[in-house]
Amino acid sequence: METTNGANYRFFARWAAFSYQNAIWVILLSIIIAGTSVVYTANNLGIHTDTTDMLSEEVPFRVNHKRYKEAFPQYEDALLLVLDAPTPEQAHAAAKQLNEYLQKDTEHFYEASYLSGDSFFEQNGLLYKDIAELEKITDRLAAAQPLIARLSENPALDTFASVLTEAVDEMISGRNLDLGAVFNGISTTLDTRMANMPRALSWQILLDGEQQADRYQEIILTRPKLDYTQLFAAEQPMNAIREAAKNLGITADSPTKLRITGEAALAFDELHSAMRGAQDAGMLALVLVIVVLLIALRTIGAIMTVLFSLALGLLLTAAFATFAVGHLNLISIAFAVLYIGLGIDYAIHFLLRHEEVQRTTGLSVTETLPKASGDIGHALMLCAVTTAIGFYAFMPTTYDGVAELGLISGSGMMISLLVTLTVVPALQRFFPMRTIKPLISMKPIHQALEWPGHSRKTVYTLTFFIVLLSLIALPQVRFDYNLLNLNDPHVESVETFRDLLENADNSPWHIVALEDDQTETEQLVHQLTALPEVDKVVTLLDMVPDNQDEKILLIEEMAMTLGPITFMPIVQKDMDVDAQRTALQELRQALGRLINEQPAHAAIETARALYRSLSGLLMRLDQAGTHAAQAQLLSATAHDLLHLLPKSIHRLQAALQAQPFDRQDMPESVRMHWLSDDHIFRVAIYPNENINDNDALTRFVRAVQQITPGATGVPVISLEAGEAVVDAFIHAFSLALIGVIVALLVLLRSVRSTMLVMVPLLLGALFTVATAVLFDVSFNFANVIALPLILGIGIDCSVHMVHRSGSTGENYENLLHTSTARAIFYSALTTMTGFGSMIFSQHQGTASMGLLLLIGVILTLACVLIILPVLLQSSGNKKVPVA
């Protein structure tokens, strides 16, 4: 095998010889530089987890969002605290307590707001109901007033049952009492107690005439003090919330449950799941990569050489990132993934070429090492320069996260080249490469590899049809704008956020528009409410209800009906089990008479249900056995039915103090959410459907932007950021393609060789995109980072094959049996096993990145080892200048 002994050959040969002769100093210097890099990086490298900072501030949607943040800072990086309880009273009480607690915690929060618990809304809440609703509440309050009055004097189970018995008797005699909701509520409460899943009776729901739901939610909005110098910026505020809830008795075992979501919590969980997934995948990847290296290199010394050079290059690249950029973000942190995927290739190619030269010449290491370096050095330089240019092409984009990734990764490729050509030859002095003997017979593998060369027409035909199908699939490529789909779907913040999104009436993902005066606000509301994609539009103007005078009259009537009720304190005394049992039996008997005598009554079904529930309670009471057990059961039942009544009536009495008001009368605690200090109106625009779906999200955002182009909010940011990323990558890949072609033309000095390098690269990219469509893999903010790695692998593999063929004139069969083909295969295999392990990550973005990488590397490898050799064979294996 003859090799061109030109200037490049001599340069790289002397480089390797120098490193080998001064091995001890090279290794010591490398260790010192590595240690210095670790210290420098650890003390100076920052982490920015704020994803919005990864896009240029000049992008229009960021300009709009900046104005919104300045006008209403309380909505920036907010935490949403969702309190779930079996009754609205319990949810309200817990939310109010927690909100008051957090308002005092100025160390972790700028502010906390629970609008439903604001004293203004507690007093004037009834004014926001329709007149028809108020009339129904008035009627139900009139029917329940005798019960409430008697219970206020003696809040006991027997009193409750006795009053209900009297009411049922009146219904039998013909009086029209609307007690269906009361019967249903009591029946459900008794049934849950009998099922050992106790739930309190909501008197608020009874007066509203609704059926009690399984759970009720209240939401607190907090603005945490985030520390972006820490990896987990929201960790301390979230821990403070958990501790506050624990102190208030809101635990996993209590009826009221706390869930935390919002932008800050989602970012926290996303980073946490990504790191946890990377840790798990990293351990698996390390094991698999070592297995592949053992198969490829066969000796521990060679594996240590590869891993040492990889670690050194990674540390030097991190130090460069610290010096050149000063921080990493959630995009540029992927430089480590890219470096490992590409940097390991250089050492593998160098060592396998050295082994091949040793095996074919039988010379000593002092002769074979410079020869191997001279042979492979120019190819490695071509790979590093072209891949670096491909990465540097990302720098001019408006996506700062990707631009920083391009700078760091491009420079990392040059660092990897220097490390490989300097450190790997030095390590050969201590860990010399041994001759590799095949583990199995290579004849079947050689025959399989040689098949395409004997079936060129078949290869060309199949390639043509696959290209055609891929081009047809290309327009179906999708980008997933939904940031939730990147995260682990099972973490609390994501599950809670999706739960909130299902309720379009109060979706946390809504669009916000800003207007400078009331007239413009009214005009915008009128235009937006006409859109079919919009459910409702809320502004400060909606905070002043209509028909206040008429509503006040109904509220005054309620106050007169209820009267001045004051609940007596409950005094603990011995339970009279017999009296309680008798009262319950009498109520059941009265219901039996109602069922028999008034079978067509409107409340007959709920009466039957309550009759069955009472029968079950009395049977359980008989089965309890001891007096103490019976007293305990009756006491628990009384607590379920009655303990929320005083709180409900107290809130109702506060609401009966409502007074007419206008915008000027609204307190600052309410007005601040809708009108800024600069008198900018906040307009909240809610979707008509669940915008967790990408198509619904796009329809909603585009429809609103037609009316108000300056709108902002998470839906707008997600869509616009996604399109900015797509545009940035299209722009970057266009520049990368041009830069790589120019670099190849300059370095290879051959149009033919440049075309041969580019064809498998372009085919691999096309097939990868088409396969992603076939497997319904959408591109997203995370897996789009895999594309530069696939680009780099495609360049490296093609350059090595074309360079080997052009510099030595290897024929088709010999080319596939060389160390170059083996190095390409094993390098790709380490990448596939290493990053394919990411598929098992809980973080969906990381998992999708792993899947896309696996697909891309497999298809690129197929193009390089099947299509490219056929092209080389067809082109006549003419030697080309390689300088």
Side-chain angles (χ1 to χ4, degrees), residues 767-804:
F767 296 162
T768 299
V769 173
T771 306
V773 173
L774 178 65
F775 287 98
D776 196 28
V777 179
S778 300
F779 288 96
N780 55 50
F781 292 95
N783 66 21
V784 73
I785 300 168
L787 297 179
L789 180 53
I790 296 172
L791 173 71
I793 292 172
I795 293 173
D796 288 1
C797 294
S798 298
V799 164
H800 280 296
M801 289 291 282
V802 172
H803 183 272
R804 183 66 183 260

Side-chain angles (χ1 to χ4, degrees), residues 321-507:
T322 306
F323 173 77
V325 182
H327 63 263
L328 296 176
N329 56 54
L330 293 179
I331 298 293
S332 62
I333 201 171
F335 88 87
V337 174
L338 301 179
Y339 184 90
I340 294 171
L342 295 172
I344 200 171
D345 296 358
Y346 295 176
I348 291 176
H349 274 279
F350 190 100
L351 290 174
L352 288 180
R353 178 61 68 90
H354 184 211
E355 185 273 338
E356 183 183 48
V357 172
Q358 283 183 315
R359 177 166 36 84
T360 56
T361 63
L363 299 174
S364 65
V365 67
T366 55
E367 297 175 285
T368 57
L369 191 61
K371 183 175 178 60
S373 183
D375 287 345
I376 196 69
H378 185 240
L380 292 178
M381 184 192 70
L382 284 173
C383 293
V385 170
T386 53
T387 306
I389 289 174
F391 283 132
Y392 286 145
F394 287 73
M395 293 172 59
T397 68
T398 57
Y399 195 8
D400 290 348
V402 172
E404 293 171 4
L405 174 67
L407 173 63
I408 297 169
S409 298
S411 302
M413 294 302 98
M414 302 308 298
I415 290 171
S416 180
L417 176 67
L418 294 175
V419 169
T420 300
L421 294 176
T422 305
V423 177
V424 172
L427 287 171
Q428 286 296 285
R429 194 174 189 92
F430 306 100
F431 305 111
M433 192 67 187
R434 308 293 184 188
T435 301
I436 300 174
K437 297 180 180 179
L439 293 175
I440 58 175
S441 173
M442 300 301 294
K443 186 175 181 180
I445 298 176
H446 290 167
Q447 289 176 342
L449 289 173
E450 291 168 6
W451 171 81
H454 304 306
S455 310
R456 282 186 292 174
K457 289 184 179 180
T458 302
V459 172
Y460 286 138
T461 302
L462 288 174
T463 302
F464 173 78
F465 280 109
I466 295 173
V467 167
L468 186 62
L469 292 174
S470 299
L471 291 173
I472 294 173
L474 207 57
Q476 301 177 50
V477 174
R478 293 183 295 109
F479 189 92
D480 187 354
Y481 304 102
N482 193 334
L483 296 172
L484 286 181
N485 292 338
L486 299 181
N487 213 330
D488 182 350
H490 304 297
V491 297
E492 178 185 86
S493 62
V494 174
E495 289 184 336
T496 305
F497 207 86
R498 291 190 191 279
D499 183 27
L500 295 177
L501 285 176
E502 291 178 2
N503 181 12
D505 288 338
N506 197 29
S507 173

Side-chain angles (χ1 to χ4, degrees), residues 498-520:
R498 291 190 191 279
D499 183 27
L500 295 177
L501 285 176
E502 291 178 2
N503 181 12
D505 288 338
N506 197 29
S507 173
W509 272 2
H510 56 267
I511 295 178
V512 174
L514 303 179
E515 292 295 343
D516 295 323
D517 59 55
Q518 181 173 334
T519 303
E520 292 179 356

Side-chain angles (χ1 to χ4, degrees), residues 4-35:
T4 304
N5 293 322
N8 279 327
Y9 177 91
R10 292 193 298 273
F11 173 77
F12 290 114
R14 290 170 182 170
W15 189 341
F18 175 83
S19 295
Y20 184 81
Q21 292 165 5
N22 299 277
I24 186 66
W25 298 110
V26 170
I27 300 303
L28 285 175
L29 183 62
S30 299
I31 294 173
I32 292 171
I33 293 175

Side-chain angles (χ1 to χ4, degrees), residues 176-254:
N176 184 20
L177 294 177
D178 184 9
L179 293 179
V182 175
F183 291 165
N184 183 72
I186 298 171
S187 174
T188 302
T189 303
L190 295 179
D191 289 344
T192 56
R193 168 57 63 180
M194 294 303 99
N196 295 318
M197 295 184 295
R199 185 181 66 173
L201 174 64
S202 171
W203 289 83
Q204 177 182 327
I205 295 300
L206 287 185
L207 293 176
D208 285 342
E210 301 173 0
Q211 184 170 346
Q212 189 166 339
D214 291 333
R215 64 171 182 165
Y216 294 86
Q217 287 182 349
E218 293 292 341
I219 299 175
I220 300 173
L221 173 70
T222 66
R223 184 186 172 205
K225 293 182 177 180
L226 303 179
D227 184 2
Y228 284 113
T229 62
Q230 301 295 319
L231 187 59
F232 295 100
E235 184 172 20
Q236 292 186 8
M238 291 177 67
N239 287 341
I241 293 169
R242 299 287 186 196
E243 186 64 27
K246 181 180 178 182
N247 293 338
L248 295 172
I250 305 172
T251 64
D253 298 327
S254 65

Side-chain angles (χ1 to χ4, degrees), residues 22 83 110 223 236 283 313 416 418 539 567 679 690 752:
N22 299 277
L83 291 132
Y110 293 106
R223 184 186 172 205
Q236 292 186 8
M283 294 301 296
S416 180
L418 294 175
T539 70
F567 278 83
H679 297 284
N690 187 348
R752 167 184 168 271

